[in-house]
Amino acid sequence: MKMRKYICLFFALMLFAVNSYAQKKEIITAEDRIKSGKDLEKSENELKKFLTDSANMSNKKLWFTLFNVVRKQYEQGNEKLYLKENYDTVKLFQKNLEMFDLAISLDSVDALPNKKGKVKISYRENNAEILNHYRPNLFYGGLFYIRKQNYADGYKFMDAYLNCGNQPLFSKYNYLEKDPNMPTAAYWTVYCGYKMHDTEKTLHHASFALKDSMHYKYMLQYLAETYKAEGETTKYLETLTEGFKKYPSFPFFFPRLMQYYGEIGQNEKALDIVNNALKNDSTNELFLFAKSTALLNLGRFEDCINICENLLAHNDSIADIYLNIGSAYFNRAVKLDKITRLTKKQKNQVIKDYTMARKYMEKYRALAPEQKEKWAFPLYTIYLNLNLGKEFDEIDKIIR
């Protein structure tokens, strides 16, 4: 048994020695290739193979050599582009990102205490100075991918740009406080996450992105849609409310705010919001139409009709205005018709309202023929009450 243990130990030591020799040999070869600028990819692949073995992960020389191999490839590509020679732009950006990943990994190993428990950081200052010069290309690389609608890589690059602010490697540069592009980079991560429908990525840098005043309204839009998708109703409503207060003319916030209160039946709240909006812009057609909807839902039919008539006087091509005014006349007729004993005057009013409702509902049908669920039943009831046999038969077939 002892002999077997010795044999195993012997082979383990032999394997370690062989591996150590191979590493040193490859590092020397890589250093020669860095000087010559040739066969760099070959050295990169060989060095990466050594790092797949966890036993080699703490070898600072191995990490440093690999970093320089990749750096040399990046500099060669950068030079070719500067000289307007053919070179793969995507490859250049990827090498730039790879440099940062390697340098951060090296720095984490470099900061580990030695056998005596002491920390002696050897590479941080030099690597940080080199990469500080190249760091803007992480930002430009992100924009490059975003323009190509490659949001996964766009996110990766912008996230790497931001991550530098949290790395000890770059502590002396204090990017979080001193780099004015950090909030903008954070915004682009939110944008990429939103485009990928990835909630985690959308929200990861959201608090930082809200410091980007240039894109603030879009930030609120992306956050609102994300909160809605996640069922975060309170945050959704808070974001819509803030967005509308700050950007009342931006087309996203107001309609969804009105829709939200309409869906939960808080029509008085919806009316308050639209009245406040109209104080700043009394002729805004969107606000006026929204008010007509709130009034319709509140059963204030005459007020709804008056607003719709004014809107149609200025623009008679919007289908939903016809729907609102037609619905106001229709609902008023139905409400009055429910009275058990109508006076002659009331009966005449019912007929008059159904007649007016018919006029506007038929116009709405002509403008929005695909919206059958909105005009079919009202027209069915209208034709029935006005004794319009031909029209009633036609709509009856549609409903059936």
Side-chain angles (χ1 to χ4, degrees), residues 127-162:
N127 286 352
E129 186 175 345
I130 291 168
L131 292 177
N132 181 58
H133 177 70
Y134 294 139
R135 182 169 170 264
N137 282 338
L138 290 175
F139 187 88
Y140 299 133
L143 292 179
F144 170 83
Y145 285 110
I146 291 167
R147 282 194 293 269
K148 292 184 174 296
Q149 299 182 358
N150 181 345
Y151 301 117
D153 280 331
Y155 180 91
K156 188 189 300 181
F157 273 76
M158 290 298 181
D159 182 59
Y161 185 86
L162 291 164

Side-chain angles (χ1 to χ4, degrees), residues 76-93:
Q76 285 179 337
N78 211 21
E79 183 179 359
K80 286 184 178 181
L81 286 181
Y82 179 76
L83 296 173
K84 298 182 178 179
E85 297 178 12
N86 289 331
Y87 192 77
D88 187 351
T89 306
V90 170
K91 185 177 180 180
L92 182 71
F93 283 129

